Amino acid sequence: MPKQIHLAAHFPGVNNTTVWSDPEAGSHIEFDSFVKLAQTAERAKFDFFFLAEGLRLREQGGRIYDLDVVGRPDTFTVLAALAAVTERLGLAGTINSTFNEPYEVARQFASLDHLSDGRAAWNVVTSWDAFTGENFRRGGFLAEGDRYSRATRFLETAKELFDSWPADAIAADKNSGTFLRDPSAGTFAHQDEHFDIAGRFNVPRSPQGRPVILQAGDSDAGREFAAATADAIFSRHGTLTDGQKFYADVKGRLARYGREHDSLNVLPAATFVLGDTDNDAQERARIVRRQQVSGATAIKFLEQLWNRDLSAYDPDGPLPEIDPDVSEQHIARGRASVRMHRDPIAVAREWRERAAAEKLSIRELIIEVTGRQNFIGSAATIAAALDDLVQQDAADGFILVPHVTPGGLDEFADKVVPLLQERGVFRTEYSGPTLRDHLGLATP
């Protein structure tokens, strides 16, 4: 039997993948946009709808970075509202473990799981910079090792809260007047190096017992955290070779935690461009990439590596001859991308060499070096490519990121999903009511 493919829909936001200036693009704040994408995903029988979240608006050169979408409503508010206009689609939100507290987050996710009848998922993330921390009372930031230590303890504490109510704790016997079978329901006490809390958790056990746990770390610590705690891990490794390497690495860590191979789903993020033919799709993809990387965006991306004001440079001209500034003070505050380049001078050298060899301008180079994994082609080509990667253990499925919101998923739902269903690798109906059912996960 072939592996079944998992698909999720990412409502894109603060990144240049989103072409908010496209004539077909809608609001990233109005609720109708969230409803449109979620209901399209549910119509296509996707596993879940996913919201990322940032805790501070990014800046560059001391000003709000406004070339991407800026700002978004609160995650829990949006997902709770979507629970009322969807029936089976999972609802996944990104909530930070560095600046929040376990009791509050556990209460919010248990409530969402109740309101959605068992469709809640929590993407557990950490924050790495003091810039974001300035928005919070505790402030500051944690070293990477401490961040994952806190995240591990945070999740352990939240699970204790979820599990503090037995599944049969509520009797609600009107004849006897007995509401609780177990008067100790909700009692908890947890103490470790990060948290010291005790009391009563006030949300009864939810349909899934606990929300599905997602994780997106790519470092060794992040992979270990996912192997120990997560039900699914997002990745940047969407090509065959890189995907197989990442897949084998993460799955190979599960046994030391007493977990089965299928207890963790590997889900790379991916964009797609459809066309009537493969050639048509390639041309459309070229246009989309130029929409995603305008001249102004190209300069901003270059500044993130160079750590200098490059506004005087022509995006259609050559790269700067001056080297990047490697000082600790960075021009792009709150951008995770600044951590990706451990040796900016070496990367700048590589970019110059590539630009010279391929005769690329600044904008053309940025289009090439910032391009993420794409499925480009006719519906048949994309369906075959997607299926091949899953069957060859490069992934268990994909988080699809449309470049236009909210209608950017329609074409995939109408043209690619039916072909996957014909191949027998994607559901035609949901097999159960909860997100755990969709993902093939046991209820804890």
Side-chain angles (χ1 to χ4, degrees), residues 84-153:
V85 295
T86 55
E87 296 179 355
R88 290 289 183 265
L89 183 71
L91 302 169
T94 300
I95 298 297
N96 192 286
S97 64
T98 303
F99 301 115
N100 288 301
E101 296 298 325
Y103 185 92
E104 179 183 26
V105 171
R107 188 167 181 265
Q108 290 168 317
F109 271 112
S111 299
L112 178 62
D113 206 50
H114 277 293
L115 293 174
S116 64
D117 292 326
R119 296 183 282 138
W122 172 14
N123 179 33
V124 184
V125 297
T126 66
S127 283
W128 60 275
D129 65 318
F131 174 70
T132 299
E134 290 171 358
N135 271 358
F136 295 87
R137 181 181 59 214
R138 188 167 60 81
F141 67 103
L142 298 173
E144 184 166 10
D146 293 333
R147 287 193 293 122
Y148 279 109
S149 171
R150 179 181 167 88
T152 298
R153 298 291 179 246

Side-chain angles (χ1 to χ4, degrees), residues 25 36 104 124 143 157 159 178 219 224 261 369 408 425:
K36 166 65 175 175
E104 179 183 26
V124 184
T157 308
K159 286 180 177 179
T178 301
S219 65
E224 202 67 25
H261 183 271
V369 299
V425 296

Side-chain angles (χ1 to χ4, degrees), residues 27-44:
S27 171
H28 281 248
I29 296 176
E30 293 174 5
F31 185 54
D32 285 350
S33 291
F34 295 96
V35 172
K36 166 65 175 175
L37 188 67
Q39 291 184 340
T40 300
E42 184 166 69
R43 171 170 63 83

Side-chain angles (χ1 to χ4, degrees), residues 51-81:
L51 277 180
E53 183 174 68
L55 294 178
R56 179 161 180 170
L57 295 179
R58 299 171 302 180
E59 296 180 9
Q60 193 149 327
R63 301 181 64 182
I64 296 298
Y65 184 94
D66 65 351
L67 294 173
D68 301 347
V69 174
V70 174
R72 169 176 292 164
D74 172 70
T75 293
F76 278 115
T77 306
V78 172
L79 294 181

Side-chain angles (χ1 to χ4, degrees), residues 311-327:
S311 57
Y313 282 79
D314 181 358
D316 295 317
L319 272 69
E321 294 183 5
I322 190 173
D323 281 335
D325 178 356
V326 294
S327 63

Side-chain angles (χ1 to χ4, degrees), residues 215-220 223 233-247 250 266-271 336-337 339-342 369-374 389 394-395 397-399 401:
Q215 208 273 330
D218 193 40
S219 65
D220 187 71
R223 296 183 189 198
I233 182 171
F234 302 158
S235 93
R236 298 180 292 107
H237 307 282
T239 59
L240 180 60
T241 302
D242 287 348
Q244 287 176 326
K245 184 177 179 181
F246 179 85
Y247 190 97
V250 174
V266 177
L267 305 173
T271 56
S337 59
R339 294 184 300 152
M340 294 174 58
H341 306 304
R342 301 296 184 187
V369 299
T370 62
R372 70 170 66 191
Q373 158 70 14
N374 284 307
L389 288 170
F398 290 88
I399 311 291
V401 189

Side-chain angles (χ1 to χ4, degrees), residues 161-178:
L161 297 171
F162 295 134
D163 293 345
S164 65
W165 280 77
D168 62 349
I170 297 179
D173 188 329
K174 296 181 180 179
N175 294 324
S176 67
T178 301

Side-chain angles (χ1 to χ4, degrees), residues 217-393:
D218 193 40
S219 65
D220 187 71
R223 296 183 189 198
E224 202 67 25
F225 179 69
T229 63
D231 299 306
I233 182 171
F234 302 158
S235 93
R236 298 180 292 107
H237 307 282
T239 59
L240 180 60
T241 302
D242 287 348
Q244 287 176 326
K245 184 177 179 181
F246 179 85
Y247 190 97
D249 177 76
V250 174
K251 297 271 189 174
R253 300 172 188 241
L254 295 173
R256 74 184 65 152
Y257 299 102
R259 303 184 63 190
E260 299 295 325
H261 183 271
D262 294 335
S263 64
L264 176 67
N265 291 295
V266 177
L267 305 173
T271 56
F272 60 91
V273 179
L274 275 158
D276 293 332
T277 66
D278 289 351
N279 287 339
D280 176 49
Q282 290 291 345
E283 177 58 24
R284 290 182 67 182
R286 187 189 68 80
I287 294 170
V288 169
R289 287 300 292 147
R290 291 189 68 81
Q291 286 181 303
Q292 292 170 330
V293 184
S294 66
T297 297
I299 294 297
K300 292 296 186 185
F301 266 108
L302 202 68
E303 287 181 344
Q304 290 165 28
L305 176 65
W306 255 257
N307 197 25
R308 296 178 183 277
D309 179 0
L310 303 177
S311 57
Y313 282 79
D314 181 358
D316 295 317
L319 272 69
E321 294 183 5
I322 190 173
D323 281 335
D325 178 356
V326 294
S327 63
E328 289 298 317
Q329 280 295 108
H330 207 281
I331 195 172
R333 305 186 73 193
R335 298 293 302 236
S337 59
V338 304
R339 294 184 300 152
M340 294 174 58
H341 306 304
R342 301 296 184 187
D343 187 347
I345 292 178
V347 175
R349 186 185 310 116
E350 292 173 7
W351 285 11
R352 286 196 197 100
E353 291 172 354
R354 179 171 180 178
E358 300 178 26
K359 296 181 173 56
L360 301 176
S361 67
I362 291 173
R363 185 182 183 190
E364 291 167 338
L365 177 77
I366 296 300
I367 286 173
E368 294 300 319
V369 299
T370 62
R372 70 170 66 191
Q373 158 70 14
N374 284 307
F375 292 108
I376 302 172
S378 66
T381 296
I382 290 179
L386 210 158
D387 188 22
D388 184 58
L389 288 170
V390 171
Q391 302 310 325
Q392 293 199 56
D393 286 344

